[in-house]
Amino acid sequence: MNRSSKILNLPNLITGSRFILSGGLMLLLLQEQTTRMSLIAWLVFSIAAGSDWIDGYFARKYKAVTVLGQLMDPLADKVLVTTALIMLIPTGKMPAWVALIILCREIVVTGLRGVASSSGIVVDASSLGKWKSTIQYIGLGTLIFPLGVLPISNLHQMGLAIVYVALVLTVWSGVDYFYKLRRIFLEDEC
C-alpha cells in the first residue's frame, strides 16, 4: 500500500468531511433560522456528528488507523462542537458562559494530550470522553432542530438541559484526563 492510499483511506476521508460539514453548518446557522433552514442545519450537524462514529468503525474494521487519523479525528470533533456552540450563542439558545467552559476544557485537554504525546504517552479517548461527546451532540442537535416540527413545546429547553449534563461530563472528563496524566507534570525535569 503506498503512502497516499494510507493517508487517503476511507476513515480519514470521512473525518475530513467533518471539517467541511462544520463550515457548511456555520454558513447555515448564519442565515435566518426559518424552519427549513434549521432543518437543513440540523441534518448537516447530524451527518457530521454521525460521521464521528462511522470513521472510527471503518478504521477499526479495516485496520486503517493512521497517525493522521488519530490527530484529525478529535480535532474534527472539536471543530464541529465549537462551530455549533459559538453559532448558537447569537440565537439566544446557548449561554456564552457554557460555551466558554466547554471550549476552555477542550483547549486544555488538547494541550494535555500534546504534552503527553511529546513524552511518548498516547492518550486515547476515555469512555467518559465518548459519553461527553455523545451527550454534547444530542444536546446541540436538539438546540439546532426547529421548534414546531415535533409536538414538543419545550424542545429547546430540553436541549439546553442536555447541554448542561454535557457540561458536567465535559468538566468531569477534563479533570479525569488531568488526573490520569498527573505523573507527567509531577516528574522532575532532567
Side-chain angles (χ1 to χ4, degrees):
M1 185 182 287
N2 66 30
R3 191 175 287 175
S4 66
S5 64
K6 283 185 176 180
I7 292 173
L8 296 177
N9 62 28
L10 181 59
N12 287 351
L13 291 173
I14 293 170
T15 298
S17 74
R18 201 152 53 253
F19 288 104
I20 295 166
L21 289 169
S22 296
L25 177 66
M26 178 201 66
L27 294 173
L28 290 166
L29 290 175
L30 280 171
Q31 308 305 311
E32 179 185 347
Q33 292 303 290
T34 62
T35 299
R36 179 184 171 130
M37 189 60 63
S38 294
L39 274 173
I40 294 169
W42 175 81
L43 183 62
V44 167
F45 178 81
S46 298
I47 290 168
S51 76
D52 184 19
W53 293 289
I54 294 168
D55 62 10
Y57 169 78
F58 283 121
R60 287 184 299 277
K61 181 175 180 174
Y62 297 114
K63 295 179 177 45
V65 175
T66 64
V67 172
L68 178 65
Q70 289 175 320
L71 171 68
M72 299 311 283
D73 182 61
L75 289 177
D77 301 343
K78 288 172 186 14
V79 167
L80 177 61
V81 168
T82 299
T83 300
L85 286 169
I86 291 174
M87 297 309 296
L88 286 171
I89 292 171
T91 67
K93 297 177 188 175
M94 175 61 56
W97 69 269
V98 172
L100 179 65
I101 291 172
I102 291 172
L103 296 176
C104 285
R105 179 269 185 204
E106 297 299 347
I107 292 167
V108 168
V109 167
T110 299
L112 289 173
R113 289 177 120 168
V115 169
S117 177
S118 69
S119 299
I121 299 170
V122 176
V123 183
D124 291 324
S126 67
S127 60
L128 183 58
K130 291 177 183 177
W131 273 105
K132 178 254 332 169
S133 294
T134 300
I135 301 298
Q136 282 179 347
Y137 289 149
I138 293 169
L140 292 169
T142 304
L143 289 173
I144 293 169
F145 197 85
L147 294 176
V149 174
L150 299 174
I152 303 171
S153 59
N154 57 349
L155 182 67
H156 289 161
Q157 290 86 351
M158 290 171 51
L160 188 56
I162 295 167
V163 169
Y164 285 139
V165 171
L167 176 65
V168 171
L169 290 174
T170 298
V171 172
W172 182 10
S173 67
V175 170
D176 184 56
Y177 272 112
F178 189 81
Y179 180 76
K180 287 177 180 173
L181 296 173
R182 70 191 180 284
R183 69 178 183 268
I184 295 171
F185 305 105
L186 299 176
E187 289 178 354
D188 292 332
E189 291 187 30
C190 297

